[in-house]
């Protein structure tokens, strides 16, 4: 069976036209240099030119020229990892179709043998490949040395919201996050079947393994981050959508080109722009590959046994290692190293390092791999022949055997005659029988052919009785699930009781505090009443004294008039009494110390503090002086570099304040534009909002990590009653 579909060698454009378009786009700096269809045509033109090569040197030069052409528009890493594989696939197909001859070439230094010159030389040398791999390794090491924090609860809830969205693109984005699968596997190429475990699915259709025969692709278990029933229901709704059904017969590249852009929009919108998944160093955005990394981290937290290495668990459920044989014999998959870029944190930013936290409530994930149907016990799905004596040697062969060998062959023949004959049944008939038996007898979909036949035989013997044992057995998982649900409900009820007790205790505390506040209020009211009565009594006393002083003053005035009248009579002065009295009153007003009652200290202070004369004769408000620093307006920072220096210092001070080990959560500060402006004003400076925002944007990733580490949101600062200058001063 051919691994490739036949390709029609029909050229819509000449090679020269395609190259001219390619170079024009390079000159214009277009983002797309060659479209998929154009690359496919160029690869066919290349095969056509390979046909005319008469020597290995000529083919090597042709391959070198083709690689140089691609390097005009793409970096070497893209040419090596993305575009050359497209050309090589077309060459392999041409060799298989007979369009290019199969050549017996000597193996290379690594004992690799190629069937044609094009496959041998359309490939970068090992030194280049090694250098590209080292660069990838260095970049991956940097990511693993700087893991990014992820909130598992927010990630899962966002994925659930996508499953409840309106479009199939949103559904697929949610499915990608919750299953860890690739784009084309969800869209069309993967097969998903429910198993007994509530958080597991049997998956078949792994890409990137070079398998082209769907019937022989292995099945393995993947973990789901929510209930598997919800995943299966969403998949059915997704794949029955008309827009998705159009993708069923397309290859992965075509599926990606038609559907990937709109799905990626939702991935970035919900996971990247919300700062739920930080962009990794060296990457431009959040991708489906990043979703697989977060999925692997959360699945490990949920289901990885504490005594199993994380790498072993992840490679099993991502499909890098499939089957017990691979897991036992092969070295751990290197591809798994590219999925350890995140760590989980709680609501307060605390690391969550536990593994397998759900294993006390649910059984471990099953390790199930499905082998091809033809290897199932005594049944072969290839023909209808019955061979009862396949082990018996032919007469011609027996005549050529030695006596000892002939005796051994005779013993084997006798043993084979005592064994049941091996029967082969068409696979279509066996599949139909297996499907009917699964519905009729409550058999698992993973039941062997022998189990299916045994159930059928039991049914033919006594149809009514045969379903009873299987029905009883089918209650096992249901009863287990029911028991787990009851236990979970009990735990929830216990938590509810605890919360109720805490609420009652809090209510009693609040009631006691209220009573204490009422008592304090009453005490204050009593004190205020006593103070008011005292004040009234003193006021009445002062009023009586004032009236007495007024009467005394009037008496003194009368005596003074009599004195001046007597003086006038004796000395003969005219108008003296009135003038003398006016002079006396003026003197009394100008010299308050001569009055019968001196002014109070309060009135004197009030008069003194009403205004203060300055050196130039102007008056200032109460409590202010010309040298008071608070009277000066903040100084605006005019130079950009100076402003950035001051704001950097302010940001560092706030971060150091928050990072203090003994700092309480409510005493920490969220770093924002108002916070920085307030801190700058407290130090006698001011800066515009655009400048402050620019300084924050320059350190956005660092600030996001800082806030996430401390569990602070944008509304965190409402917890503070006092300004930040009460805590921090520059």
């Amino acid at each position: 069976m051919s691994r490739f579909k036949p390709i029609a060698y029909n050229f819509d454009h000449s090679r020269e036209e395609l190259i001219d378009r390619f170079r024009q786009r390079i000159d214009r700096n277009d983002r797309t240099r060659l479209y998929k269809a154009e690359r496919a045509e160029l690869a066919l033109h290349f095969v056509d030119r390979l046909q005319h090569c008469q020597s290995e040197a000529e083919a090597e030069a042709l391959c070198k020229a083709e690689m140089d052409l691609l390097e005009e528009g793409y970096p070497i890493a893209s040419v090596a990892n993305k575009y050359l594989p497209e050309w090589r696939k077309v060459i392999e197909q041409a060799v298989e179709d007979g369009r290019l001859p199969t050549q017996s070439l000597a193996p290379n230094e690594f004992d690799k043998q190629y069937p044609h010159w094009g496959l041998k030389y359309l490939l970068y040398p090992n030194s280049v490949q090694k250098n590209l791999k080292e660069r990838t390794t260095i970049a991956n090491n940097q990511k693993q040395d700087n893991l990014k924090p992820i909130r598992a609860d927010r990630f899962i809830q966002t994925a659930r919201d996508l499953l409840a969205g309106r479009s199939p693109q949103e559904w697929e984005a949610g499915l990608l996050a919750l299953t860890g699968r690739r784009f084309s596997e969800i869209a069309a190429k993967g097969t998903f079947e429910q198993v007994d475990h509530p958080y597991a699915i049997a998956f078949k259709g792994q890409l990137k393994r070079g398998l082209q025969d769907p019937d022989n692709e292995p099945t393995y278990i993947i973990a789901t981050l929510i209930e598997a029933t919800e995943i299966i229901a969403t998949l059915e709704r997704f794949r029955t959508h008309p827009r998705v059904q159009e993708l069923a017969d397309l290859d992965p590249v075509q599926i990606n080109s038609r559907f990937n852009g709109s799905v990626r929009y939702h991935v970035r919108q919900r996971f990247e722009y919300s700062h739920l998944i930080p962009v990794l160093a060296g990457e431009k955005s959040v991708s489906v590959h990043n979703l697989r990394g977060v999925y692997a981290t959360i699945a490990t937290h949920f289901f990885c046994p504490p005594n199993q290495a994380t790498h072993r668990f992840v490679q099993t459920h991502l499909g890098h290692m499939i089957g017990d044989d691979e897991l036992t014999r092969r070295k751990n998959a290197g591809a798994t190293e590219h999925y350890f870029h995140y760590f989980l944190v709680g609501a307060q930013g605390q690391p969550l390092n536990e593994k397998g936290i759900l294993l006390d409530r649910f059984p471990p994930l099953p390790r199930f791999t499905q082998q091809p149907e033809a290897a199932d016990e005594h049944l072969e799905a290839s023909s209808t022949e019955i061979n009862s004596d396949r082990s018996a040697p032919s007469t011609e062969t027996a005549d050529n055997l030695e006596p000892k060998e002939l005796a051994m062959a005779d013993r084997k023949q006798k043993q084979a005659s005592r064994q049941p004959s091996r029967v082969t049944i068409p696979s279509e008939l066996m599949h139909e029988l297996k499907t009917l038996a699964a519905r009729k007898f409550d058999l698992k979909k993973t039941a062997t052919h022998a189990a299916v036949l045994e159930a059928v035989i039991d049914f033919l013997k006594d149809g009514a009785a045969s379903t009873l044992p299987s029905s009883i057995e089918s209650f096992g998982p249901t009863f287990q699930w029911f028991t787990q649900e009851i236990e979970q409900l009990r735990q929830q009820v216990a938590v509810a009781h605890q919360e109720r007790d805490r609420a009652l205790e809090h209510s009693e505390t609040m009631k006691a505090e209220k009573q204490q506040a009422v008592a304090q209020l009453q005490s204050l009211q009593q004190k205020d009443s006593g103070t008011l009565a005292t004040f009234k009594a003193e006021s009445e006393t002062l009023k009586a004294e004032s009236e007495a002083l007024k009467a005394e003053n009037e008496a003194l005035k009368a005596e003074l008039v009599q004195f001046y009248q007597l003086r006038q009579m004796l000395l003969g002065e005219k108008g003296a009494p009135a003038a003398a009295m006016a002079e006396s009153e003026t003197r009394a007003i100008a010299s308050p110390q001569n009055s019968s009652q001196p002014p109070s200290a309060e009135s004197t202070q009030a008069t003194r503090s009403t205004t203060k004369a300055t050196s130039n004769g102007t008056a200032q408000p109460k409590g202010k002086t010309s040298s008071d620093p608070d009277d000066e307006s903040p100084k605006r920072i005019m130079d950009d570099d100076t402003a950035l220096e001051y704001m950097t210092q302010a940001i560092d001070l706030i971060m150091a304040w928050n990072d203090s080990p003994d700092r309480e959560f409510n005493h920490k500060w969220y770093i924002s534009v108002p916070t920085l402006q307030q801190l700058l004003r407290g130090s006698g400076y001011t800066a515009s909002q655009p400048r402050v925002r620019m300084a924050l944007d320059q350190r956005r990733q660092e600030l996001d990590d800082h806030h996430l580490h401390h569990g602070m949101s944008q509304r965190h600062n409402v917890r503070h009653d006092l300004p930040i200058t009460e805590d921090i001063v520059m």
Side-chain angles (χ1 to χ4, degrees):
M1 178 179 178
S2 174
R3 293 185 299 155
F4 305 101
K5 296 180 180 179
I7 290 182
Y9 284 78
N10 299 323
F11 299 108
D12 296 331
H13 307 88
S14 66
R15 175 178 168 83
E16 290 72 19
E17 290 175 337
L18 295 172
I19 295 176
D20 286 342
R21 292 182 182 181
F22 177 51
R23 287 172 173 162
Q24 288 173 6
R25 291 168 187 157
I26 295 174
D27 294 337
R28 294 196 303 265
N29 199 24
D30 290 351
R31 182 176 179 180
T32 301
R33 308 297 170 84
L34 283 173
Y35 290 98
K36 174 67 178 178
E38 294 173 333
R39 298 199 303 269
E41 254 193 293
L42 269 179
L44 293 177
H45 279 295
F46 181 74
V47 169
D48 200 38
R49 299 175 71 194
L50 273 178
Q51 290 179 307
H52 299 87
C53 291
Q54 301 298 321
S55 65
E56 185 171 354
E58 186 179 352
E60 182 179 2
L62 188 66
C63 292
K64 178 67 169 57
E66 193 77 359
M67 293 163 64
D68 291 341
L69 173 66
L70 292 175
E71 288 178 15
E72 292 181 24
Y74 301 106
I76 293 179
S78 299
V79 175
N81 298 325
K82 182 176 181 180
Y83 300 116
L84 287 189
E86 295 180 3
W87 266 249
R88 293 175 60 82
K89 182 178 179 180
V90 175
I91 296 173
E92 289 178 3
Q93 181 176 354
V95 172
E96 189 168 320
D97 293 343
R99 192 174 183 87
L100 290 175
T102 302
Q103 300 168 330
S104 299
L105 304 178
N108 63 6
E109 55 182 325
F110 303 103
D111 204 29
K112 175 69 176 179
Q113 192 167 7
Y114 299 101
H116 193 272
W117 293 325
L119 295 174
K120 181 178 181 180
Y121 293 109
L122 195 67
L123 192 69
Y124 282 103
N126 185 61
S127 58
V128 176
Q129 298 279 4
K130 184 178 180 181
N131 183 44
L132 293 175
K133 187 174 182 180
E134 286 179 353
R135 289 166 55 187
T136 302
T137 301
I138 292 173
N140 188 55
N141 290 343
Q142 292 175 347
K143 295 173 185 177
Q144 291 194 13
D145 288 337
N146 185 24
L147 301 180
K148 298 300 181 182
I150 295 294
R151 283 278 299 276
D153 54 343
R154 291 180 57 199
F155 180 85
I156 294 175
Q157 185 56 51
T158 300
R160 282 186 180 275
D161 294 341
L162 286 167
L163 295 188
R166 297 181 178 180
S167 66
Q169 290 86 351
E170 293 175 273
W171 305 339
E172 173 151 13
L175 290 170
L176 291 169
L178 296 171
T179 62
R181 301 319 314 149
R182 296 183 177 87
F183 181 83
S184 297
E185 295 170 352
I186 292 289
K189 299 305 178 183
T191 301
F192 300 82
E193 294 184 359
Q194 188 121 17
V195 296
D196 290 339
H197 198 284
Y199 287 90
I201 289 178
F203 170 74
K204 181 171 73 172
Q206 168 83 330
L207 297 178
K208 293 191 176 182
R209 287 182 62 87
L211 296 174
Q212 302 293 330
D213 185 4
D215 293 335
N216 289 329
E217 292 186 7
T219 298
Y220 62 95
I221 294 298
I222 62 172
T224 61
L225 303 186
I226 64 173
E227 293 79 359
T229 53
E230 188 173 349
I231 296 292
I232 295 296
T234 305
L235 267 169
E236 293 176 354
R237 172 162 49 98
F238 171 72
R239 290 193 172 179
T240 54
H241 193 279
R243 178 72 176 84
V244 180
Q245 288 181 334
E246 298 174 357
L247 310 175
D249 297 328
L250 303 180
D251 60 43
V253 176
Q254 293 171 323
I255 293 174
N256 289 341
S257 63
R258 293 194 183 187
F259 212 61
N260 189 19
S262 53
V263 174
R264 192 172 177 219
Y265 165 80
H266 291 288
V267 170
R268 299 189 65 184
Q269 190 76 21
R270 303 301 289 271
F271 293 101
E272 177 184 346
Y273 299 149
S274 63
H275 304 290
L276 183 56
I277 301 180
V279 178
L280 298 177
E283 298 185 5
K284 297 180 180 179
S285 61
V286 173
S287 64
V288 175
H289 184 273
N290 300 132
L291 293 186
R292 279 168 61 83
V294 177
Y295 158 85
T297 304
I298 299 176
T300 301
H301 183 57
F302 284 173
F303 301 113
C304 179
N307 61 343
Q308 185 181 21
T310 302
H311 193 123
R312 301 282 294 171
F313 175 83
V314 171
Q315 70 183 2
T316 301
H317 296 283
L318 285 183
H320 298 154
M321 289 281 190
I322 301 179
D324 292 336
D325 185 64
E326 284 194 1
L327 286 171
T328 303
R329 299 176 182 274
R330 285 186 55 187
K331 180 183 177 182
N332 287 337
T336 310
E337 291 289 342
H338 296 275
Y339 293 94
F340 299 128
H341 299 151
Y342 306 97
F343 72 100
L344 300 183
V345 296
Q348 303 299 327
Q350 72 277 17
L352 304 177
N353 300 319
E354 300 86 355
K355 293 195 300 185
I357 65 170
L358 297 184
L359 294 181
D360 58 343
R361 295 168 50 193
F362 302 99
L365 295 175
R367 290 178 59 181
F368 164 76
T369 56
Q370 179 178 325
Q371 300 299 329
E373 300 283 353
D376 190 9
E377 295 195 6
H378 301 297
L379 300 176
E380 293 182 354
S382 60
S383 68
T384 57
E385 298 178 357
I386 300 178
N387 302 321
S388 59
D389 56 350
R390 293 173 63 182
S391 60
S394 62
T395 306
E396 182 179 357
T397 304
D399 292 339
N400 297 327
L401 293 176
E402 296 294 332
K404 183 177 180 180
E405 295 175 344
L406 185 59
M408 292 177 62
D410 184 60
R411 283 197 300 272
K412 291 181 180 179
Q413 181 176 358
K414 290 180 180 179
Q415 292 175 357
S417 64
R418 291 194 296 268
Q419 296 176 351
S421 60
R422 192 171 185 180
V423 182
T424 59
I425 301 175
S427 59
E428 295 82 2
L429 182 60
M430 196 63 226
H431 278 301
E432 183 178 1
L433 177 62
K434 190 173 182 179
T435 302
L436 293 174
R439 290 201 303 264
K440 183 70 177 176
F441 310 126
D442 294 330
L443 292 178
K444 297 179 182 178
K445 294 183 179 180
T446 57
T448 63
H449 293 331
V452 173
L453 290 180
E454 289 176 1
V456 172
I457 293 173
D458 290 340
F459 174 76
L460 294 177
K461 290 179 179 178
D462 185 0
S466 63
T467 60
L468 183 60
S470 59
S471 298
I472 294 175
E473 292 174 1
S474 67
F475 277 105
T478 303
F479 184 74
Q480 181 183 6
W481 173 86
F482 183 69
T483 304
Q484 292 171 351
E485 288 295 315
I486 291 177
E487 184 61 29
Q488 186 174 0
L489 288 174
R490 285 176 176 171
Q491 294 176 359
Q492 293 175 357
V493 169
V495 172
H497 283 310
Q498 293 176 357
E499 292 179 352
R500 182 198 62 185
D501 294 339
R502 285 196 296 267
L504 290 175
E505 182 179 353
H506 181 68
S507 176
E508 293 296 331
T509 303
M510 293 296 293
K511 186 182 296 183
E513 292 178 354
K514 179 181 178 182
Q515 293 175 352
Q516 184 179 0
V518 170
Q520 292 177 353
L521 179 60
Q522 292 175 349
S523 176
L524 290 174
Q525 288 177 345
Q526 292 175 357
K527 290 181 180 179
D528 290 343
S529 299
T531 303
L532 182 60
T534 303
F535 176 77
K536 287 182 178 180
E538 291 179 354
S539 177
E540 293 296 332
T541 303
L542 291 174
K543 186 176 181 181
E545 292 178 355
S546 177
E547 293 296 334
L549 289 173
K550 284 182 180 180
E552 184 179 355
N553 186 33
E554 292 297 330
L556 290 174
K557 283 183 178 180
E559 291 179 0
L560 184 62
V561 170
Q562 292 176 358
F563 171 76
Y564 279 111
Q565 287 176 349
L566 181 60
R567 179 179 177 182
Q568 184 179 10
M569 291 174 59
L570 294 175
L571 299 178
E573 296 178 355
K574 293 183 180 180
M581 287 185 64
E583 183 182 355
S584 176
E585 290 177 359
T586 303
R587 215 168 31 241
I589 294 174
S591 303
Q593 66 272 15
N594 295 330
S595 96
S596 58
Q597 181 180 0
S600 64
E602 289 80 358
S603 60
T604 304
Q605 180 65 27
T607 303
R608 185 181 300 116
S609 61
T610 302
T611 57
K612 289 188 178 181
T614 60
S615 60
N616 58 2
T618 60
Q620 293 184 347
K622 173 184 177 181
K624 292 288 184 178
T625 66
S626 60
S627 62
D628 194 340
D630 294 339
D631 197 36
E632 298 179 2
S633 60
K635 180 181 178 182
R636 178 174 291 276
I637 306 173
M638 303 302 295
D639 182 61
D640 287 340
D641 294 337
T642 305
L644 181 60
E645 180 181 352
Y646 273 90
M647 285 180 278
T648 299
Q649 180 183 355
I651 292 173
D652 292 340
L653 284 173
I654 301 175
M655 293 178 70
W657 172 272
N658 294 339
D659 290 336
S660 178
D662 57 349
R663 188 77 60 222
E664 295 183 3
F665 179 70
N666 288 343
H667 291 168
K668 297 180 181 180
W669 288 91
Y670 184 90
I671 305 174
S672 62
V673 173
T675 307
L676 284 180
Q677 287 185 322
Q678 194 177 62
L679 184 55
L680 289 172
R681 289 194 187 99
S683 302
Y685 295 96
T686 182
S688 62
Q689 284 193 7
R691 279 186 172 176
V692 177
R693 191 174 291 108
M694 179 178 64
L696 292 175
D697 290 340
Q698 289 183 359
R699 301 178 67 174
R700 177 57 56 194
Q701 186 62 53
E702 180 185 1
L703 292 175
D704 289 344
D705 294 343
H706 178 78
H707 293 147
L708 184 59
H709 174 71
H710 290 284
M712 294 186 291
S713 65
Q714 293 180 354
R715 291 188 55 81
H716 177 82
N717 291 345
V718 300
R719 304 168 183 267
H720 295 279
D721 297 328
L722 299 175
I724 191 173
T725 51
E726 294 295 326
D727 291 335
I728 305 173
V729 178
M730 292 179 59

